[in-house]
Amino acid sequence: MTYNTSQIGSTHLIIRLDNLEHNVRFLRSKLNENTLFMAVVKAFSYGNNHCEIASFLQKKNLVDYFAVACVSEGVELREAGIRKPILVLHPQISDFEEIIKYELEPTLYSKRILSHFIEFVENKGKTAYPVHLKCNSGMNRLGFLLDQITDVCQILGRQKTIFVKTAFSHLFASEDKNASEFMEKQISLFIEFQNVIKKHFSHKILFHTCNTSGILNYPHAHFDMVRSGIGMYGFANDSEYQSDFRPITILKSFISQINEIPVGGYVGYNFGFQADKVTRSATIAVGHADGLNRIYGKGIGFVYIKGKKAPILGNVCMDMLMVDVTDIDCQEGEEVTVFDEKYTAEILAENAQTISYELITSLSRRIKRIYVE
């Protein structure tokens, strides 16, 4: 698919919703027909705008649930017209008022949160308010331990104010084939959680632990529902599967100016680059305020101009960066690709020894976003 971007004239993101749909359908093809799909749209939908992404997924009826990290993200989704259930992964006590107001579903991950939420809901006169239990199967970030879960279930069984919809955990190295033995231990421990929880409730509770890599690598752990974030946005975290995914985010910019740097001349802040030969430098209107952080400077990062790689010269500035175009026949106003479906964000991130998640979630909201369906 091609785009007419000549009239945009500024740094912009093209969000390919058709690729988003492809990725979700591919992931769903790995599931049993009764397994539910939770779309993770936290962190501004990994830089793509959670309201736009969730609205598209809801319109196409591609997913069953949404997950956000914090309540403010859930509030924005509700105000954007999202009606499907929204799980809040990391609620705080100060969020309870908005949780109830906007019909969000909190994760209960500690006895402190549990007791405060029960009291809050009771004071609101609510009954059977939907909640989710977080089980700590080894990541040691959030969640109840196995030796706590019986007590938690007994507390929940003595009241009618809240209703447990799901219980879940998180695989912390599901993309790492060398960690499969530990992942199997995590899965087995989560099954132990399930066995305890089932004994205390008469209604059907949904269990889920698989993220994108879990969906691909641990089909026996799909249980009742799976969650996907990075896979929806086009990254498999596994070279074996990457060809099945289509990155949805394309970051473009333009050459603002071309300078000829003499031998011994400098480019950018703090002597970040000194030319040892006559060098053509192109200034691009994207910088660390846009999410292309300083780690990409001094030749570690690069952009593509006319399909040729142009390494970054010196330090990345707040609103600009400079690249070496000595061997590229280009002009001012020429289009620049920072990353796209071929020259992916994952390639750029890996070169800086980071991950695609960090790069795409850092993309500033000031960048113009264009949605292509």
Side-chain angles (χ1 to χ4, degrees):
M1 183 178 292
T2 58
Y3 312 94
N4 181 14
T5 58
S6 60
Q7 302 302 313
I8 299 172
S10 63
T11 301
H12 59 278
L13 279 169
I14 297 168
I15 314 294
R16 288 199 53 172
L17 298 174
D18 56 330
N19 283 359
L20 173 67
E21 179 172 356
H22 165 85
N23 296 332
V24 173
R25 291 194 184 281
F26 171 73
L27 287 164
R28 296 205 76 143
S29 74
K30 300 295 183 180
L31 310 177
N32 293 328
E33 61 178 355
N34 295 324
T35 304
L36 301 180
F37 191 99
M38 178 179 285
V40 181
V41 293
K42 63 182 180 178
F44 203 54
S45 257
Y46 292 42
N48 294 290
N49 189 333
H50 53 310
C51 294
E52 292 283 351
I53 295 298
S55 294
F56 175 79
L57 293 173
Q58 179 174 266
K59 179 181 72 172
K60 292 282 189 173
N61 198 30
L62 289 169
V63 303
D64 306 288
Y65 241 98
F66 291 106
V68 295
C70 54
V71 165
S72 61
E73 295 171 325
V75 170
E76 290 171 341
L77 289 180
R78 286 286 186 244
E79 291 180 342
I82 301 304
R83 300 270 59 88
K84 285 185 179 290
I86 300 173
L87 165 63
V88 180
L89 294 165
H90 197 182
Q92 305 296 324
I93 292 172
S94 58
D95 297 326
F96 290 171
E97 190 71 49
E98 286 195 316
I99 285 175
I100 300 297
K101 178 180 178 181
Y102 289 93
E103 298 181 347
L104 307 175
E105 301 179 8
T107 297
L108 304 182
Y109 51 85
S110 70
K111 287 189 176 181
R112 171 175 168 267
I113 290 291
L114 170 66
S115 61
H116 279 282
F117 193 68
I118 289 175
E119 180 182 2
F120 186 86
V121 175
E122 285 177 345
N123 291 337
K124 289 291 184 179
K126 300 285 186 178
T127 57
Y129 195 89
V131 300
H132 305 255
L133 298 181
K134 182 64 182 290
C135 303
N136 181 358
S137 63
M139 192 165 184
N140 296 315
R141 188 172 61 173
L142 291 176
F144 298 107
L145 296 169
L146 184 61
D147 62 9
Q148 296 174 311
I149 202 67
T150 295
D151 188 34
V152 168
C153 290
Q154 289 174 346
I155 292 171
L156 291 168
R158 292 194 293 266
Q159 55 78 52
K160 296 183 179 181
T161 57
I162 59 178
F163 176 85
V164 179
K165 286 184 74 175
T166 84
F168 69 101
S169 192
H170 195 87
L171 301 177
F172 68 78
S174 55
E175 77 285 354
D176 185 354
K177 299 296 177 59
N178 294 323
S180 60
E181 182 179 351
F182 196 92
M183 292 304 94
E184 293 294 354
K185 289 180 180 178
Q186 263 202 291
I187 292 166
S188 295
L189 180 55
F190 184 51
I191 291 172
E192 290 187 55
F193 272 100
Q194 295 181 38
N195 292 334
V196 174
I197 292 169
K198 288 176 182 177
K199 291 177 182 177
H200 289 85
F201 299 96
S202 58
H203 68 275
K204 168 69 174 175
I205 292 177
L206 303 176
F207 295 101
H208 51 109
T209 195
C210 281
N211 52 8
T212 295
S213 296
I215 294 171
L216 299 173
N217 295 327
Y218 298 94
H220 57 289
H222 289 172
F223 302 123
D224 302 298
M225 182 158 61
V226 297
R227 308 183 300 270
S228 179
I230 199 69
M232 292 200 308
Y233 308 114
F235 300 98
N237 287 335
D238 189 328
S239 57
E240 178 184 348
Y241 293 103
Q242 187 54 52
S243 61
D244 296 307
F245 289 86
R246 299 173 185 173
I248 77 168
T249 309
I250 300 167
L251 178 57
K252 299 276 191 177
S253 190
F254 294 85
I255 297 175
S256 297
Q257 187 173 357
I258 294 177
N259 291 296
E260 186 170 294
I261 314 302
V263 175
Y266 296 99
V267 175
Y269 285 116
N270 302 109
F271 314 104
F273 172 82
Q274 185 176 29
D276 59 7
K277 62 180 181 179
V278 176
T279 302
R280 289 179 81 229
S281 168
T283 300
I284 315 299
V286 61
H288 60 72
D290 299 296
L292 211 66
N293 298 328
R294 282 168 57 90
I295 61 171
Y296 297 101
K298 299 183 178 180
I300 293 173
F302 39 81
V303 301
Y304 295 88
I305 302 170
K306 291 187 171 180
K308 295 183 178 181
K309 184 184 290 188
I312 295 173
L313 296 174
N315 293 309
V316 176
C317 307
M318 182 179 290
D319 310 300
M320 288 170 274
L321 56 80
M322 287 69 73
V323 299
D324 187 347
V325 294
T326 304
D327 298 321
I328 302 175
D329 181 16
C330 57
Q331 307 297 323
E332 293 179 357
E334 201 96 55
E335 185 179 77
V336 174
T337 298
V338 181
F339 53 77
D340 62 9
E341 297 150 289
K342 180 180 179 182
Y343 310 114
T344 68
E346 188 169 50
I347 295 171
L348 179 56
E350 286 180 351
N351 213 58
Q353 297 185 332
T354 184
I355 56 177
S356 57
Y357 300 73
E358 183 175 64
L359 175 54
I360 62 177
T361 59
S362 297
L363 296 174
S364 172
R365 296 195 186 196
R366 77 179 184 177
I367 300 174
K368 180 179 179 65
R369 284 160 170 80
I370 302 163
Y371 296 90
V372 180
E373 189 172 333

